[in-house]
Amino acid sequence: MLNVILPPLSINVVKKFVVFWVKSRVCSVYLERHFLEFRFAKLFFGCLAAVTSGMMYAVYLSTYHERKFWFSSRQELEREITFQGDSAIYYSFYKELLKAPSFERGVYELTHNNKTVSLKTINAVQQMTLYPELIASVLYQASGSEEVIEPVYFYIGIVFGLQGIYVTALFVTSWVMSGTWLAGMLTVAWFIINRTDTTRIDYSIPSRENWALPYFACQVAALTGYLKKSLNCSAEKFCYLLVSASTYTFMMMWEYSHYLLFVQAVSLFLLDSFALAQTEKVYEVYKIYLFSLFLGYLLQFENSALLVSPLLSLVAALMLSKCLQMNTKKGTFISRLLKIMHIYLVLTITVTLNFLLKVFVPHKENEHLLKFIEVKLGLNTTKNFTMNWLLCQESLQAPSQDFFLRLTQSSLLPFYILVLIICLFSVTQVIFRRICGEPLKETVKLEDGRIGERPEIVYHVIHTILLGCLAMCLEGMKYLWTPYVCMLAAFGVCSPELWMTLFKWLRLKAVHPILLALILSMAVPTIIGFSLWKEFFPRIMTELSELQEFYDPDTVELMTWIKRQAPVAAVFAGSPQLMGVIKLCTGWMVSSLPLYNDDDLIKRNENIYQIYSKRSAEDIYKILTSYKANFLIIEDSICNEVGPVRGCRVKDLLDIANGHVVCEEGDSYAYSKYGRFCHEIKMNYSPYVNYFTRVYWNRSYFVYRINTVISFQS
């Protein structure tokens, strides 16, 4: 029939066309199958590299900790002494939970705790955010680890594991942004090399941020994926659920988490204000904040600090302004004017709402932080001991030159500045186009050279700038900023889009820009990685091979004496940092704790510190007996402190607070008729021996029993 209808030549053409179509179809199926196999292999090896990086970092921390403290060869008391200050308090409550007859009983004793601080019943779970310890104790008992591993190894193992998750999350974030897991490897390398500036894990393992920041890193990684334009429905739902879970967990782990989430909310607000992201997605994240705040308020014993937090005020203002505002997404001049009014409206509602909440909601929301900010900015002056003591802490000073020098030596800071400048200029171009009425592209191709149109990139640029501003004011904030510096710098040098954006501005014509961008995105990180390996890998291996010795025999002797000689019902008084160690190592009650989120504890710390001031024996005796203290411990390191910064020693700050020293043109004049108590009490003469009896001493500590019956001797 075909031969009848069509001539022979046409039949041949049709046959050739059918054969060509079949071959092309087979070829496309073959290519598609191999493309899927390639994507699967890339995903598999990328995930394997991310997980391996996290595990290797956790092993590295564990090995370094063992080498630094000789942890496995120490007795339990010597191990516990390595926890200092507030870290000792957190771990002591973990021990108490394990000793309790049941978990429910242990939680009840913590929420109605009257065995830690004399004359004070506290809700330790709420006041000290002990949810990490609750989780660790449950896991330790539920997993049957009692006969397998000691409690201290289980506890620090969880923290080191979380740090591994932290690194993995940073790896994934840079991978999602750049499209290559080579960026993740470079992120991890920079993170480990700059470990002294990226994490506080060396100084205080149980600190709240070491528990919380890994969850925040997971939230940022999920949020980065959620903000992407080209995201399928299943991946978007997964990212949304991960953002929800990690946001709430982060809020439960750290009492200051809502401040960091506020910075993130401001970043999202600016991202949405310039119409650089899908508004629906941004407002879904706002809803996650509200849900986390509400659930956190209920499960944190109706924590009023969450109600008066700036995060709640900002999100509520954004929700309210969304109901009030008109459609400002169109490109008319009126709509752009309304957009500016919208930003002003949100800021006004936020400030007003926060003020009203603080007026009507009873709270003790870290008022000392507001006073500290006033003094730090030079808006106020104070003689308050605690405020000046905090201002003298290294973490609350401006960053030193050594910090920037270390980041420069590892090549991190130069590449970060380069990437930030390119991204910032690209974002500025995009914002200018939006103001001129030009719509954003649905899909940004590599040849477009518009990296500033990707919402996840814009979010990270804004976020890192805000965190960087905080880090420039307080050195302690560098632990929040530097990890994302590592991530952003690694993403930039490994991203062909960033190089293509730069070449678009330079109007490169000598070499094909796309080819050059692809080459540089592979060659530059390879060169950086090789140079880092050559210079820093031997240092890291030397760190792990060296045996450092941490041994404090005087503190060990003091704790041993307390456990053997002191009555079980005794109450000890001394510096808050030492009291934390005593509580952990002996279990005895103390008169103060190294915590600064409670007005009564702050006042106690100030009063107990008077033992290093120029006050009379009678004054000190009245202070100590008012807290039912039985023993007083004088630390020679504080009494004879020779601080590098004049005016920042404890005794100097006490003299200023008590008005015993007036400084005029560099000269100091004493106005106290009494000598320094910690010096005078060692002389063993009246009236000091009337109130206090020395019962123990070594090179570092002098322990005095506070006499219940005063015997006046001449």
Side-chain angles (χ1 to χ4, degrees):
M1 180 65 69
L2 188 64
N3 292 334
V4 175
I5 297 175
L6 298 175
L9 182 61
S10 300
I11 294 174
N12 292 333
V13 171
V14 171
K15 288 181 179 179
K16 289 180 180 179
F17 175 77
V18 171
V19 171
F20 173 76
W21 183 84
V22 171
K23 288 183 177 179
S24 63
R25 185 62 181 169
V26 171
C27 184
S28 64
V29 171
Y30 177 80
L31 290 175
E32 183 178 354
R33 188 185 68 183
H34 280 272
F35 178 71
L36 291 175
E37 290 177 354
F38 173 76
R39 289 191 63 183
F40 176 78
K42 180 181 177 182
L43 180 64
F44 173 77
F45 286 109
C47 292
L48 183 63
V51 174
T52 303
S53 298
M55 293 176 63
M56 292 297 291
Y57 180 62
V59 172
Y60 164 72
L61 289 178
S62 178
T63 306
Y64 177 75
H65 182 262
E66 172 65 27
R67 292 287 183 176
K68 182 177 180 180
F69 297 110
W70 291 18
F71 214 66
S72 60
S73 61
R74 300 292 187 191
Q75 299 296 321
E76 182 180 6
L77 177 60
E78 296 171 346
R79 293 174 184 169
E80 292 176 349
I81 287 175
T82 61
F83 298 113
Q84 298 290 320
D86 57 346
S87 297
I89 295 298
Y90 296 131
Y91 185 74
S92 70
F93 288 121
Y94 168 72
K95 281 180 59 179
E96 289 186 11
L97 278 168
L98 296 182
K99 292 178 181 178
S102 65
F103 178 74
E104 294 78 8
R105 183 62 186 175
V107 173
Y108 178 82
E109 290 178 353
L110 289 185
T111 54
H112 301 79
N113 187 281
N114 58 1
K115 298 179 180 179
T116 299
V117 184
S118 61
L119 302 179
K120 188 175 178 66
T121 299
I122 59 176
N123 183 342
V125 177
Q126 178 188 13
Q127 192 162 340
M128 303 176 194
T129 319
L130 295 180
Y131 298 96
E133 283 66 36
L134 296 179
I135 295 172
S137 63
V138 169
L139 291 176
Y140 183 73
Q141 294 173 334
S143 61
S145 302
E146 293 93 335
E147 299 179 359
V148 180
I149 188 172
E150 296 180 52
V152 64
Y153 281 108
F154 187 84
Y155 185 90
I156 63 176
I158 292 179
V159 180
F160 290 156
L162 285 174
Q163 299 307 301
I165 294 174
Y166 193 179
V167 164
T168 300
L170 293 173
F171 183 110
V172 172
T173 304
S174 57
W175 179 15
V176 170
M177 292 171 64
S178 64
T180 171
W181 47 267
L182 186 62
M185 300 294 289
L186 188 56
T187 300
V188 174
W190 266 327
F191 184 93
I192 296 176
I193 289 169
N194 297 280
R195 182 169 50 85
T196 55
D197 299 309
T198 55
T199 176
R200 290 181 61 213
I201 195 71
D202 285 356
Y203 312 113
S204 53
I205 292 176
S207 65
R208 300 302 84 180
E209 54 263 45
N210 287 337
W211 283 90
L213 290 180
Y215 296 102
F216 183 68
C218 292
Q219 190 252 26
V220 170
L223 182 61
T224 303
Y226 184 66
L227 291 174
K228 286 176 70 72
K229 291 180 180 178
S230 56
L231 198 67
N232 60 56
C233 185
S234 300
E236 185 174 311
K237 288 181 180 178
F238 173 77
C239 290
Y240 177 81
L241 292 175
L242 185 55
V243 170
S244 304
S246 54
T247 301
Y248 172 69
T249 308
F250 174 59
M251 193 171 291
M252 295 293 290
M253 292 291 172
W254 193 21
E255 60 180 316
Y256 299 117
S257 58
H258 56 89
Y259 292 112
L260 187 53
L261 291 175
F262 170 73
V263 175
Q264 186 184 72
V266 172
S267 305
L268 293 173
F269 165 59
L270 294 175
L271 183 68
D272 181 54
S273 297
F274 294 117
L276 299 175
Q278 299 179 31
T279 302
E280 295 76 15
K281 286 187 176 182
V282 174
Y283 276 85
E284 285 298 322
V285 179
Y286 293 157
K287 292 176 184 177
I288 292 174
Y289 291 151
L290 287 177
F291 175 76
S292 300
L293 285 167
F294 173 73
L295 197 59
Y297 171 76
L298 295 179
L299 296 183
Q300 290 182 9
F301 306 93
E302 299 182 358
N303 185 5
S304 59
L306 297 179
L307 295 181
V308 298
S309 66
L311 175 63
L312 178 60
S313 300
L314 176 62
V315 174
L318 288 165
M319 293 296 186
L320 183 60
S321 64
K322 184 183 180 182
C323 299
L324 298 176
Q325 71 176 336
M326 299 172 62
N327 185 13
T328 61
K329 297 296 181 184
K330 296 180 180 178
T332 63
F333 174 78
I334 299 297
S335 67
R336 293 194 291 272
L337 184 62
L338 289 173
K339 174 59 67 177
I340 298 175
M341 294 299 295
H342 166 64
I343 296 175
Y344 174 77
L345 179 65
V346 169
L347 295 177
T348 305
I349 295 176
T350 300
V351 174
T352 305
L353 187 58
N354 191 254
F355 174 77
L356 292 175
L357 285 172
K358 289 185 176 180
V359 170
F360 292 103
V361 176
H363 71 285
K364 294 181 180 178
E365 189 257 336
N366 302 316
E367 295 181 2
H368 63 282
L369 287 179
L370 300 177
K371 296 177 182 176
F372 169 79
I373 293 173
E374 289 181 3
V375 177
K376 182 71 177 177
L377 296 177
L379 302 176
N380 197 359
T381 58
T382 181
K383 292 185 178 180
N384 180 267
F385 168 78
T386 301
M387 195 62 59
N388 287 326
W389 184 81
L390 290 173
L391 287 167
C392 285
Q393 299 305 301
E394 184 180 352
S395 61
L396 299 180
Q397 301 290 322
S400 62
Q401 292 183 354
D402 292 341
F403 167 60
F404 299 105
L405 182 62
R406 288 192 298 269
L407 296 187
T408 303
Q409 288 175 340
S410 65
S411 73
L412 174 59
L413 191 59
F415 282 106
Y416 167 74
I417 293 175
L418 174 65
V419 172
L420 185 62
I421 290 174
I422 295 174
C423 291
L424 200 55
F425 272 103
S426 182
V427 171
T428 306
Q429 275 188 334
V430 173
I431 293 173
F432 181 75
R433 293 192 190 105
R434 293 290 294 151
I435 293 175
C436 295
E438 182 181 336
L440 293 176
K441 288 189 175 183
E442 287 297 325
T443 56
V444 180
K445 298 180 181 179
L446 176 59
E447 57 268 20
D448 295 331
R450 294 187 178 184
I451 199 167
E453 288 194 11
R454 290 175 56 186
E456 69 274 18
I457 305 301
V458 184
Y459 157 72
H460 279 288
V461 169
I462 299 173
H463 196 196
T464 190
I465 290 175
L466 294 178
L467 290 177
C469 292
L470 294 174
M472 294 306 103
C473 298
L474 304 173
E475 186 169 358
M477 298 299 294
K478 69 181 180 182
Y479 300 110
L480 303 178
W481 178 60
T482 315
Y484 296 98
V485 170
C486 300
M487 181 269 299
L488 194 68
F491 139 75
V493 297
C494 296
S495 173
E497 287 183 73
L498 184 128
W499 293 108
M500 191 64 201
T501 302
L502 179 61
F503 297 153
K504 276 284 185 179
W505 295 338
L506 299 176
R507 304 193 179 193
L508 188 66
K509 295 181 180 179
V511 183
H512 197 283
I514 295 180
L515 178 62
L516 184 59
L518 292 171
I519 292 174
L520 288 178
S521 65
M522 294 291 291
V524 173
T526 302
I527 294 171
I528 295 172
F530 179 76
S531 62
L532 293 178
W533 177 276
K534 185 177 180 181
E535 182 175 355
F536 292 97
F537 183 73
R539 300 185 191 179
I540 293 175
M541 297 309 296
T542 302
E543 236 183 21
L544 295 180
S545 61
E546 284 183 347
L547 284 173
Q548 305 178 44
E549 184 174 2
F550 176 87
Y551 187 52
D552 189 356
D554 293 342
T555 305
V556 171
E557 291 173 6
L558 174 64
M559 300 304 156
T560 304
W561 180 87
I562 291 174
K563 295 174 74 172
R564 293 177 179 175
Q565 303 295 329
V568 176
V571 177
F572 284 83
S575 70
Q577 287 70 28
L578 180 61
M579 294 302 100
V581 178
I582 288 176
K583 173 59 184 172
L584 168 60
C585 297
T586 68
W588 264 245
M589 192 177 292
V590 294
S591 57
S592 60
L593 290 176
L595 300 171
Y596 297 91
N597 58 358
D598 180 82
D599 291 337
D600 181 63
L601 287 176
I602 292 175
K603 189 63 178 176
R604 282 173 176 253
N605 292 343
E606 292 176 358
N607 289 337
I608 299 298
Y609 262 129
Q610 295 299 320
I611 61 179
Y612 300 104
S613 69
K614 297 177 179 180
R615 299 279 292 271
S616 67
E618 183 180 3
D619 288 345
I620 302 300
Y621 181 82
K622 288 180 179 178
I623 291 173
L624 297 175
T625 53
S626 68
Y627 296 122
K628 300 297 182 182
N630 305 114
F631 291 91
L632 168 65
I633 302 178
I634 300 289
E635 295 176 66
D636 206 48
S637 59
I638 300 178
C639 189
N640 299 317
E641 182 180 6
V642 181
V645 181
R646 183 177 182 182
C648 275
R649 298 178 300 182
V650 169
K651 51 188 178 182
D652 295 337
L653 298 175
L654 288 168
D655 291 343
I656 293 172
N658 295 335
H660 293 159
V661 170
V662 177
C663 296
E664 295 179 356
E665 298 180 358
D667 297 325
S668 298
Y669 302 92
Y671 283 86
S672 176
K673 63 180 181 180
Y674 301 105
R676 196 166 302 281
F677 177 83
C678 62
H679 287 153
E680 300 296 321
I681 194 174
K682 297 176 185 177
M683 303 300 179
N684 286 330
Y685 60 78
S686 181
Y688 296 92
V689 293
N690 302 332
Y691 298 101
F692 307 97
T693 303
R694 187 164 66 186
V695 292
Y696 174 80
W697 71 94
N698 58 30
R699 292 175 300 177
S700 302
Y701 304 101
F702 295 81
V703 182
Y704 296 86
R705 184 177 64 246
I706 302 172
N707 299 331
T708 53
V709 178
I710 303 174
S711 58
F712 290 96
Q713 304 174 19
S714 57

